[in-house]
Amino acid sequence: MRHKGVVVLVNPNQIHPPIAPYALDVLTTALEAAGFEAHVLDLTFHADDWRQVLRTYFRDAGRPLLVGVTCRNTDTVYAFEQRPFVDRYKEVIDEIRRLTDSPVVTGGVGFSTMPFALVDYFGVDFGVKGPGEHILCELAEALHDGRPADGVPGLLVNRGRGKVVRVPPPVLSELRTAVTASLPFPTGREEGRAWQVETELPYTRRSGVPYKVDNLTYYRLGGLGSILTKNGCVYRCTQCVEPDAKGTRLTRRSVASVVDEIESLTGQGIYDLHTTDSEFNLSIAHSKQLLREIIRRKDGDASGSLHRLRLWVYCQPSPFDEELAELLAHAGCAGVNIGTDHVRSDMLDGWKVTKKGTRYYGFEDTARLVELSHRYGMLTMVEALLGMPGETRETMRECVDRLMDLDATVTGFSLGLRLFPYTDLAISLARRCDGVRTLPGLQSNNATGPIILKPMEKCSGPIEYERQFMFDESGGFRLVCYFSPDLPESPETVNSPNGIWHESVDFLWSHIPESEYYRVMLPTLNGSSENDNNYADNPFLTSLKRKGYTGAFWAHWRDRENIMNGTGALEALAAEAAR
């Protein structure tokens, strides 16, 4: 059957260890179902010749109907590194614009955190905030039919000269809340995005097929595959981008389609799969149904590839019960990553909350989750986020001590927050600044003067509001972060817009005994330690994958010294061969 036209999907991400661009498999599935041909140009493995890859394709393939570029992350989201990625994305987009006059659309989770500003910065024609499968197909249909794109619901359209507008989706009137009604301009915040998500089709995952995502290569070089069971998040954690970027309602995928996809991946030799849900245990009944289906299929086929599945899941401390732990273990779960963030109720109140503003777990829930996971043979990674408003030396000390007492497989401590425009914390800080003052705790490594944020009400539109969290007034990068000014830092550091919270880092390293370093991840300053736990281009992670290890990187953290010096490589390869 003749297709309606070619849509090219470009992955500009060149960070290693490589992470497969799952979104491009999702979009390819939707486009093919709608009658289009989707070509993937993956630049991850072309750091040195990506321009030539683009030139060759557009020279030989002709003019596509549309070019889509995914922007998975705007930066490392690591407060002590502050390394942007969007400048490289812009280089790629500029080259595409030079090679073809086809319209360009950008999207992705990172893009969705500041979509109006990035459409303007990239100079592209269109953008998609949130899940893109239906919007992209409707855009391709409009271009194929010769209809105006500004009739595509939810699409961001670049009008030029600093004006980007979003076509209102028909469902918007049903989703209006007191919060959306009070916003000075439409941003897409506070929306559920179920209408944007394909829930019934199993996403087509391929390996070794030209112009498609090569999932097996990513697994061999990155150690993990990925699977999505549901989209969106119903919680309102004050620092989190996901409800805004993915939608404020849960959109559950068909259980059968998800397990079909898992079987397809394990059948290709991709055995370690990490969930990409906001949290796997949200809508716990759906999670249990999914695990039961995996178990049912395993029980029905003793030689099936699902018996080699090793599942790695993100979870909040609650809800999580013994039945879920048992189902996870029987389905093949190898490890649980727990986003506990803190242990003190007074710190979690008003931070880790439901839509109604009530806290939804306590430290006892984290302790029970760790205990249940270990009882059923699953590894655990507990993550804390230090530096929120109100954090002091004493609250930090208590958080460290109580989490270390849990004896999780690994305990990770992050310090400081990267601020994104539509999180509740960023909105609150911008309102307190009011465009006229800075606040203690606002920080950027590239700041040349006080960081003064403007609230939405005082901005000319979403571009101006979003840009200030990534760029300074002259257009240079200035990634805005936040550290509690009550942490153990000198006044000079706290009052400096580019001060480095080094005393807080030193406290963490000195407070934890050196004999316990093997089971902990700590924030590091540039050059202070080889045990940096930031993902992008991490020496330990790249060494891990190069030597054949698979699974979540934290699962190997305790053995990292042996891995780095090579003594554990043969054992790992032998264990992998025996699985």
Side-chain angles (χ1 to χ4, degrees):
M1 183 179 71
R2 181 178 175 83
H3 60 72
K4 299 176 184 177
V6 174
V7 177
V8 181
L9 303 173
V10 181
N11 176 28
N13 184 16
Q14 295 176 347
I15 298 303
H16 283 247
I19 300 174
Y22 190 6
L24 300 192
D25 275 341
V26 176
L27 297 175
T28 294
T29 301
L31 287 164
E32 290 176 345
F36 296 93
E37 176 71 17
H39 289 175
V40 173
L41 294 184
D42 195 342
L43 306 182
T44 295
F45 306 110
H46 294 279
D48 298 325
D49 65 340
W50 62 268
R51 282 188 172 85
Q52 187 57 49
V53 170
L54 293 175
R55 290 170 190 157
T56 300
Y57 176 83
F58 287 107
R59 181 194 66 206
D60 297 343
R63 184 184 187 275
L65 189 67
L66 176 67
V67 180
V69 181
T70 180
C71 305
R72 183 178 182 273
N73 299 102
T74 59
D75 52 86
T76 57
V77 198
Y78 188 54
F80 283 104
E81 183 177 31
Q82 300 182 24
R83 174 185 170 190
F85 298 151
V86 294
D87 50 345
R88 172 51 68 92
Y89 299 162
K90 181 168 171 54
E91 285 185 56
V92 171
I93 290 168
D94 287 347
E95 184 68 10
I96 291 169
R97 299 306 295 263
R98 194 181 69 80
L99 295 169
T100 180
D101 62 354
S102 299
V104 178
V105 58
T106 50
V109 174
F111 168 85
S112 297
T113 63
M114 48 181 69
F116 292 86
L118 290 179
V119 165
D120 181 65
Y121 172 70
F122 293 144
V124 294
D125 304 279
F126 309 112
V128 176
K129 178 171 182 170
E133 45 265 45
H134 289 314
I135 296 176
L136 190 69
C137 287
E138 288 203 35
L139 174 58
E141 291 279 5
L143 295 172
H144 173 262
D145 296 344
R147 292 183 282 111
D150 57 10
V152 176
L155 185 69
L156 275 70
V157 181
N158 192 345
R159 301 292 194 201
R161 298 186 177 182
K163 185 176 182 181
V164 176
V165 299
R166 182 169 180 256
V167 181
V171 296
L172 187 58
S173 59
E174 305 168 16
L175 301 172
R176 288 183 70 81
T177 66
V179 176
T180 27
S182 69
L183 295 176
F185 40 75
T187 67
R189 188 171 185 261
E190 293 293 321
E191 290 182 16
R193 305 191 190 281
W195 64 276
Q196 296 181 218
V197 182
E198 171 55 58
T199 59
E200 296 302 319
L201 290 176
Y203 304 146
T204 304
R205 314 295 296 275
R206 298 177 172 97
S207 297
V209 178
Y211 294 128
K212 306 297 179 187
V213 177
D214 190 345
N215 285 283
L216 184 57
T217 293
Y218 271 100
Y219 178 57
R220 287 172 173 166
L221 297 178
L224 277 174
S226 51
I227 193 74
L228 177 73
T229 77
K230 66 185 76 70
N231 214 10
C233 183
V234 297
Y235 292 147
R236 280 288 296 273
C237 302
T238 188
Q239 89 294 353
C240 185
V241 303
E242 301 228 345
D244 175 60
K246 294 184 175 182
T248 57
R249 298 182 183 180
L250 286 176
T251 308
R252 301 163 188 84
R253 292 184 61 201
S254 154
V255 165
S257 68
V258 175
V259 183
D260 286 348
E261 188 180 341
I262 291 173
E263 278 200 286
S264 170
L265 289 167
T266 54
Q268 295 171 52
I270 302 165
Y271 304 122
D272 293 270
L273 298 179
H274 211 305
T275 56
T276 62
D277 308 15
S278 293
E279 307 291 346
F280 178 73
N281 57 330
L282 302 190
S283 185
I284 192 170
H286 178 265
S287 303
K288 290 177 179 179
Q289 289 173 8
L290 179 76
L291 296 171
R292 291 190 189 103
E293 178 61 14
I294 294 173
I295 294 166
R296 186 191 69 80
R297 295 193 192 187
K298 288 173 69 174
D299 290 345
D301 183 358
S303 61
S305 63
L306 284 177
H307 287 276
R308 302 189 71 179
L309 170 66
R310 292 185 294 274
L311 196 61
W312 304 84
V313 299
Y314 280 119
C315 285
Q316 284 292 312
S318 177
F320 196 99
D321 56 24
E322 184 161 4
E323 182 183 36
L324 180 62
E326 184 176 11
L327 288 169
L328 279 166
H330 289 173
C333 182
V336 183
N337 191 311
I338 309 152
T340 191
D341 286 345
H342 216 283
V343 303
R344 289 176 57 116
S345 296
D346 59 341
M347 286 296 299
L348 293 171
D349 286 339
W351 167 17
K352 301 290 288 190
V353 294
T354 65
K355 281 186 177 180
K356 295 180 180 179
T358 57
R359 178 162 52 86
Y360 57 93
Y361 68 84
F363 174 67
E364 64 279 3
D365 296 302
T366 300
R368 177 162 171 75
L369 199 162
V370 171
E371 189 275 325
L372 282 171
S373 297
H374 290 183
R375 186 193 307 173
Y376 283 92
M378 295 177 289
L379 305 177
T380 54
M381 164 75 173
V382 176
E383 294 188 89
L385 178 55
L386 305 173
M388 285 288 288
E391 191 84 82
T392 66
R393 181 194 298 267
E394 290 311 310
T395 63
M396 190 161 60
R397 184 198 307 275
E398 183 176 345
C399 185
V400 171
D401 290 346
R402 294 178 75 183
L403 289 184
M404 292 295 288
D405 286 345
L406 293 180
D407 196 25
T409 308
V410 181
T411 305
F413 298 97
S414 297
L415 178 63
L417 303 112
R418 171 75 170 94
L419 292 180
F420 288 94
Y422 300 114
T423 63
D424 285 350
L425 179 61
I427 291 170
S428 172
L429 292 170
R431 285 176 176 160
R432 289 171 58 196
C433 286
D434 201 31
V436 297
R437 67 184 69 88
T438 190
L439 296 173
L442 291 177
Q443 186 273 350
S444 175
N445 292 348
N446 293 339
T448 58
I451 299 171
I452 301 173
L453 301 173
K454 294 173 69 174
M456 283 184 261
E457 294 78 8
K458 289 194 173 183
C459 292
S460 60
I463 292 176
E464 182 185 8
Y465 175 69
E466 294 171 7
R467 277 186 62 88
Q468 63 185 333
F469 292 91
M470 175 69 80
F471 304 99
D472 62 20
E473 296 79 3
S474 64
F477 284 111
R478 186 199 64 183
L479 281 61
V480 179
C481 297
Y482 178 85
F483 296 83
S484 169
D486 299 317
L487 284 167
E489 298 294 336
S490 68
E492 291 78 13
T493 296
V494 173
N495 294 325
S496 170
N498 56 14
I500 304 298
W501 259 247
H502 60 89
E503 292 182 34
S504 299
V505 176
D506 292 342
F507 168 77
L508 290 170
W509 281 90
S510 62
H511 182 65
I512 296 174
E514 189 172 350
S515 61
E516 300 295 317
Y517 285 175
Y518 73 98
R519 64 183 181 98
V520 68
M521 294 180 182
L522 292 171
T524 58
L525 301 175
N526 186 28
S528 66
S529 171
E530 64 181 12
N531 293 319
D532 178 9
N533 63 342
N534 184 33
Y535 189 90
D537 298 321
N538 183 294
F540 168 63
L541 269 65
T542 53
S543 176
L544 194 71
K545 306 314 177 188
R546 189 168 56 246
K547 294 178 179 180
Y549 289 81
T550 64
F553 79 92
W554 55 263
H556 307 289
W557 187 257
R558 287 188 174 212
D559 197 38
R560 62 189 178 277
E561 288 190 14
N562 288 338
I563 292 170
M564 291 290 280
N565 64 33
T567 58
L570 292 177
E571 292 87 341
L573 292 172
E576 180 67 24
R579 286 173 179 155

